[in-house]
Amino acid sequence: MNSLSMTNGFTFERCKQVIRRTFEMNKRTYALGFGGAFVGLYSIWLLVMLFGFSPEGSETSAMILGVGILVYHVAGYVLTATIFSELQSPDSASQLLTLPATSGEKLFSSWVITFVLYTFVSFFVLTVLLLLMFVTGDFFIGQSVNLADSAAATDPLQNTLSYMLFNSVFMLGAVYFRGNNFLKTAFSILLFFLFLGIQGIILINLFGSGTMQSFTIRPPIFLQNLEHAALWFQAIYTLPLTALFLVFSYFRLKNRQVV
């Protein structure tokens, strides 16, 4: 790894070095994770198709891709929650804290790994899986797999936006908590939604269900007539919230920074 001088400014060269360092330390884990998920999903699809549990190859493929999306979310949150695992150990914390990179560069590098690169590789693996199911179904099993219908099960834009938001939440948990970051962050999210649910029940009991209907969250008027209004509305609230959680993560990491 090249030696880089430490400056106060943000540089992409140092970010690249931090990303390379993370990959070098975890490349075996990443390879086993993606490879295991790919082989596992394909094996399940193959067993279902061979033993005739489902009459439609496209339906089975869509189901497997749906499971793949679930794995994409859960595995990604685990990856994000453990991206700063070095901070949790006294033996390794000094190595990360004294790394010649600013807090912003470390956070940006971690976000690139856990969101940008992880999402790209995940959907690439799912695409390869879909093509393999298509070839296997058509040429070896005798059941056709509709690529368009099966691919629609992944809903890449909506799932990417959803993952981006919760990725930033788990990023904050990775920096904020000390040990068991994934479980503590997941529990905090659960408590938050439980709190919202309790507040909703209280408001309904106080004002009545008819009154509360007027408080239903709807897309803005200028989006209600658009074909993809729900997606645009999701993007409108996802992007600011994601930026907010990343800012919180930055200041938390900066408070623990040495250089």
Side-chain angles (χ1 to χ4, degrees):
M1 186 177 296
N2 297 331
S3 177
L4 297 174
S5 59
M6 184 61 193
T7 61
N8 293 327
F10 182 95
T11 66
F12 286 101
E13 185 62 30
R14 281 203 302 266
C15 289
K16 185 175 69 174
Q17 295 294 336
V18 175
I19 292 173
R20 287 181 55 191
R21 174 182 180 271
T22 305
F23 274 114
E24 287 297 323
M25 295 174 58
N26 301 281
K27 59 184 178 182
R28 181 179 177 84
T29 302
Y30 295 163
L32 288 175
F34 281 108
F38 179 85
V39 172
L41 291 172
Y42 179 69
S43 299
I44 295 173
W45 176 85
L46 199 59
L47 288 173
V48 172
M49 296 297 293
L50 289 176
F51 288 97
F53 295 132
S54 175
E56 287 292 337
S58 295
E59 292 180 3
T60 305
S61 301
M63 178 192 70
I64 294 300
L65 290 176
V67 175
I69 288 295
L70 178 62
V71 173
Y72 157 71
H73 281 276
V74 176
Y77 301 146
V78 174
L79 170 64
T80 306
T82 58
I83 193 66
F84 291 111
S85 58
E86 288 180 271
L87 288 175
Q88 318 311 325
S89 173
D91 296 331
S92 59
S94 59
Q95 299 176 15
L96 179 64
L97 292 174
T98 59
L99 196 67
T102 64
S103 300
E105 291 164 348
K106 294 174 184 177
L107 183 68
F108 178 78
S109 301
S110 300
W111 182 77
V112 169
I113 292 172
T114 60
F115 173 66
V116 180
L117 296 179
Y118 174 76
T119 297
F120 174 79
V121 175
S122 295
F123 279 99
F124 175 78
V125 169
L126 289 177
T127 302
V128 174
L129 175 63
L130 176 59
L131 294 176
L132 182 59
M133 291 188 295
F134 171 76
V135 172
T136 306
D138 272 10
F139 293 98
F140 298 100
I141 300 179
Q143 290 197 38
S144 61
V145 174
N146 189 300
L147 292 177
D149 292 342
S150 299
T154 63
D155 199 357
L157 291 177
Q158 184 175 6
N159 278 293
T160 299
L161 286 173
S162 176
Y163 176 76
M164 180 173 64
L165 174 58
F166 284 98
N167 165 267
S168 64
V169 177
F170 278 91
M171 183 73 73
L172 177 59
V175 179
Y176 187 82
F177 294 115
R178 298 177 183 270
N180 298 318
N181 302 67
F182 173 76
L183 294 177
K184 289 179 180 178
T185 307
F187 185 66
S188 300
I189 295 173
L190 179 63
L191 287 180
F192 174 74
F193 283 109
L194 182 62
F195 172 77
L196 290 182
I198 293 174
Q199 294 299 311
I201 293 174
I202 294 174
L203 290 175
I204 290 175
N205 290 330
L206 288 177
F207 300 103
S209 58
T211 304
M212 291 304 299
Q213 288 180 357
S214 61
F215 293 97
T216 302
I217 298 178
R218 300 183 180 87
I221 296 177
F222 69 93
L223 290 178
Q224 291 181 5
N225 295 326
L226 296 180
E227 181 180 357
H228 303 290
L231 185 62
W232 280 103
F233 183 55
Q234 183 180 2
I236 286 175
Y237 72 78
T238 294
L239 296 178
L241 286 176
T242 298
L244 180 64
F245 281 112
L246 290 177
V247 169
F248 289 157
S249 301
Y250 167 75
F251 284 111
R252 175 60 178 173
L253 182 61
K254 189 174 182 180
N255 288 336
R256 303 180 66 177
Q257 184 67 283
V258 174
V259 293

